[in-house]
Amino acid sequence: MAVREIGTGRGDLTSPSTAPDAFARPAVSQSLCALLFALDLGLRFLGDVDSGPWPRVGAGLLVVVTLAAFVLPWDRLPAASPAALAVADLLVIGLFRLDAQGGGSAVLMVLPGLYLGRYFGRRGVVVTAVAAVLLVGVPNFLYFGLDGPNVSRMVLSVLVAVVAAMAMALAVSRLQHERRVSAAILDSVDVGLVLLDAEGAYQAYNRRHGDFMRLAYPEGHAGMAGQLGLVYDADGSTEVPTQDMPSTLASMGEEFDDLRIWVGDDPVSRRALSVSARAVRDASGDLAGAALAYTDVTELMRALTVKDEFISLVSHELRTPLTSIHGYAMLLLERHDLDPQVRSQLEVVVRNTERLQRLVEDLLHTGQIDDEAMYFRRVECDLVQIVRQAVQAAEPHARDRGVTLGLRTPQRLMLRVDPQRIAQVLDNLLSNAIKYTEPGGRVTVALGTDVNRVEIAVTDTGVGIDAADRDRLFTRFFRSQHAEEQSIQGVGLGLSIARSIVEGHGGRIDVDSEIGRGSTFRVRLPLS
Ligand code: ADP
């Protein structure tokens, strides 16, 4: 697997350059060295410098070393073997130096020094020092003797090579330390982290993500975004196709939050993940890759499933006995010999049974929304009729609360909708408007059209809704603090159901509100 894991010593997310280091390849670094040696020789030739026999031996050795850099199977040789090339280069320099007229080759000692320091750290520094002294310094002194300028030139050249090796070794060791620290931090977080390059190739991922990858790709992963595996949609069963994989979307520059997937197919070990992605851009703003974070939300998803199953089970179980209680209570109410007190008590039973029935319907309805099984029976119908009937039905409630109802509609407004569902939306909006309006207040329903849509507005002069609550109004079980504090009846399902019905008709529902002055809920439905 070509993918690297953060913190496993096989690469990390914090590497300044995730591209493979070309100079680590002996053939590349040796070619660079050989080129500079050749330049030295060429310049000597141009300068009409008659190099003695030793530089020629050095040139021959250089050819051999450079060829070796290309032909030897470095992958199969011990990791330290390329160091021999750098040592041989120092020997070449030593031989080049054995020439009365000299040349610029002493300065080239820096190259093997840098190479040894970069790839072999402290040991590379020692090798540079020993090899520079033995292969360049000592032969030079033996050849030229210990005369002043020669000693100074040699000692300084050797020192510069050693200092270059040390500086390189130090920089690399600092960098590695920082990488280890970052890797340790990234590995300690409980979130899977992945870095992709511009082509969608995995650059790195942390240990946590390694666990998720093993679940999703038990057969292994090729290191490219979009690979098919045991990756499922939020429903846990629909396989995610390549084009919808979070990694594919991210590699195309899409940014998103809380994209839910399941990985793995074993019911016990599979995990639900919430994925976020952010694009990584280079200095010129072009897409350079993407960073993805995978948070384990298995417990939350399981809890939600259990809750939904529970709600649906309980509501189904409650419906039958409630229907029977309601039916018998109604039958009793039809009797004419009832004591007035018994009648009024029975009416309380009926009212509360009806409330319970509505609640059960709402709960069942919520379950349906989750199953995406909400079914609309659309027929051409007159919206004015539906709105009128809803207002009529709300009148007793409004009267009880001392709230006045108003209605503004055209003569007729034909639209293809599911009349029962739209009536349900209106019932919810009206009952809320009345519930959250103080006695003496007013609730108005207005129906109208503009170019391509129908608008139903339910306006009240009630308590209003806090700006902070407005975004959450339409989420299930949300109730404002005011509703809770005032013990206003409700469970927080009405608006979420209304929204799913309106959206199911291709429409939108939103709210304008001011605390203490009232609210307007607007339902907009497309005309076509
Ligand atoms: P419920 O009314 O059963 O609590 P809903 O989903 O219908 O649930 O409404 C959610 C919340 O929105 C309510 O608890 C209430 O705080 C707020 N709300 C809804 N309609 C109005 C309104 N007309 N005026 C003020 N607050 C409202």
Side-chain angles (χ1 to χ4, degrees):
M1 194 161 75
V3 186
R4 302 180 301 169
E5 269 191 48
I6 303 163
T8 58
R10 286 194 285 135
D12 65 68
L13 199 59
T14 52
S15 167
S17 156
T18 43
D21 180 356
F23 290 105
R25 298 203 340 250
V28 175
S29 52
Q30 182 56 33
S31 301
L32 180 73
C33 225
L35 214 70
L36 291 171
F37 281 123
L39 188 68
D40 177 41
L41 287 176
L43 291 175
R44 285 192 205 199
F45 180 73
L46 283 179
D48 222 7
V49 175
D50 178 26
S51 293
W54 291 114
R56 280 190 220 125
V57 175
L61 178 61
L62 178 65
V63 173
V64 174
V65 173
T66 309
L67 280 177
F70 277 92
V71 296
L72 288 181
W74 298 105
D75 296 347
R76 280 180 269 134
L77 293 174
S81 347
L85 291 178
V87 172
D89 284 330
L90 284 170
L91 180 58
V92 171
I93 295 168
L95 291 167
F96 272 30
R97 295 296 308 153
L98 300 184
D99 174 13
Q101 302 195 52
S105 55
V107 78
L108 293 181
M109 277 202 279
V110 167
L111 289 181
L114 287 174
Y115 181 81
L116 289 165
R118 164 75 180 84
Y119 295 105
F120 302 97
R122 267 189 234 148
R123 276 173 299 154
V125 177
V126 175
V127 172
T128 306
V130 173
V133 169
L134 291 182
L135 302 177
V136 187
V138 171
N140 198 268
F141 293 138
L142 291 176
Y143 193 81
F144 292 112
L146 290 170
D147 75 289
N150 185 46
V151 172
S152 147
R153 208 169 39 226
M154 232 343 70
V155 169
L156 282 181
S157 303
V158 169
L159 278 179
V160 167
V162 174
V163 167
M166 276 167 69
M168 191 54 126
L170 201 71
V172 168
S173 116
R174 283 235 175 100
L175 199 67
Q176 282 170 346
H177 175 72
E178 273 168 27
R179 282 182 189 177
R180 277 194 293 272
V181 170
S182 316
I185 293 170
L186 291 169
D187 267 346
S188 67
V189 296
D190 198 29
V191 174
L193 297 170
V194 181
L195 191 65
L196 301 178
D197 71 9
E199 274 72 49
Y202 279 54
Q203 291 291 288
Y205 54 83
N206 68 351
R207 197 165 289 162
R208 186 77 176 117
H209 194 68
D211 300 339
F212 299 147
M213 295 278 276
R214 276 184 284 282
L215 282 174
Y217 305 101
E219 309 287 318
H221 191 272
M224 278 306 286
Q227 181 172 326
L228 291 176
L230 306 176
V231 182
Y232 305 93
D233 237 333
D235 65 10
S237 57
T238 314
E239 279 179 33
V240 179
T242 298
Q243 70 273 17
D244 293 340
M245 286 278 185
S247 55
T248 311
L249 300 175
S251 69
M252 292 188 310
E254 272 193 44
E255 298 196 334
F256 49 84
D257 285 302
D258 200 19
L259 196 153
R260 302 263 172 101
I261 53 168
W262 281 90
V263 290
D265 55 3
D266 174 65
V268 178
S269 64
R270 71 191 318 217
R271 309 304 298 168
L273 304 174
S274 160
V275 193
S276 304
R278 291 289 175 273
V280 177
R281 303 202 173 268
D282 61 19
S284 50
D286 293 333
L287 190 68
L292 291 109
Y294 293 71
T295 311
D296 191 333
V297 290
T298 314
E299 299 316 319
L300 175 72
M301 295 284 271
R302 293 209 166 121
L304 284 178
T305 313
V306 169
K307 190 196 77 186
D308 290 341
E309 282 169 5
F310 177 75
I311 287 177
S312 140
L313 184 88
V314 168
S315 30
H316 272 115
E317 293 302 311
L318 286 177
R319 205 150 59 155
T320 323
L322 272 177
T323 314
S324 126
I325 294 170
H326 187 257
Y328 280 107
M330 291 300 280
L331 273 179
L332 278 175
L333 274 179
E334 279 171 16
R335 288 173 59 158
H336 301 289
D337 55 345
L338 281 184
D339 179 84
Q341 200 186 351
V342 173
R343 174 173 296 279
S344 112
Q345 286 166 348
L346 263 179
E347 278 165 359
V348 175
V349 171
V350 168
R351 249 199 330 274
N352 281 287
T353 315
E354 282 169 354
R355 254 181 52 205
L356 230 94
Q357 276 177 322
R358 261 199 310 277
L359 176 60
V360 168
E361 286 305 319
D362 277 0
L363 288 173
L364 272 175
H365 208 105
T366 321
Q368 278 183 14
I369 296 168
D370 284 351
D371 295 345
E372 288 179 21
M374 211 200 295
Y375 178 67
F376 296 112
R377 271 183 224 96
R378 291 188 188 219
V379 285
E380 191 78 10
C381 50
D382 184 4
L383 267 187
V384 176
Q385 285 294 332
I386 299 175
V387 172
R388 282 217 174 105
Q389 279 162 10
V391 171
Q392 255 169 27
E395 251 154 23
H397 184 194
R399 214 176 307 121
D400 285 353
R401 298 252 326 137
V403 171
T404 319
L405 283 183
L407 178 64
R408 271 203 322 271
T409 63
Q411 283 292 330
R412 228 166 98 90
L413 210 168
M414 299 305 288
L415 198 66
R416 253 185 95 74
V417 292
D418 182 328
Q420 275 177 6
R421 300 288 198 190
I422 295 297
Q424 195 178 353
V425 171
L426 283 165
D427 286 346
N428 272 327
L429 295 183
L430 272 165
S431 102
N432 278 348
I434 297 167
K435 256 192 320 190
Y436 299 106
T437 300
E438 298 298 323
R442 187 177 172 77
V443 171
T444 317
V445 184
L447 176 63
T449 48
D450 66 13
V451 191
N452 52 8
R453 62 191 180 181
V454 173
E455 182 181 292
I456 309 168
V458 179
T459 305
D460 64 60
T461 56
V463 293
I465 301 158
D466 199 76
D469 287 345
R470 264 172 241 164
D471 291 343
R472 296 183 295 156
L473 278 190
F474 298 95
T475 46
R476 272 188 288 164
F477 299 109
F478 173 77
R479 306 210 67 215
S480 68
Q481 211 179 340
H482 173 267
E484 297 283 20
E485 278 168 7
Q486 304 291 311
S487 307
I488 299 175
Q489 273 172 10
V491 281
L493 284 175
L495 287 181
S496 89
I497 292 172
R499 182 171 69 173
S500 44
I501 294 174
V502 173
E503 288 180 352
H505 279 79
R508 285 183 53 130
I509 178 167
D510 39 48
V511 61
D512 272 338
S513 185
E514 204 178 318
I515 283 284
R517 307 207 65 174
S519 317
T520 298
F521 282 84
R522 284 198 181 80
V523 171
R524 296 190 174 101
L525 298 170
L527 264 177
S528 52

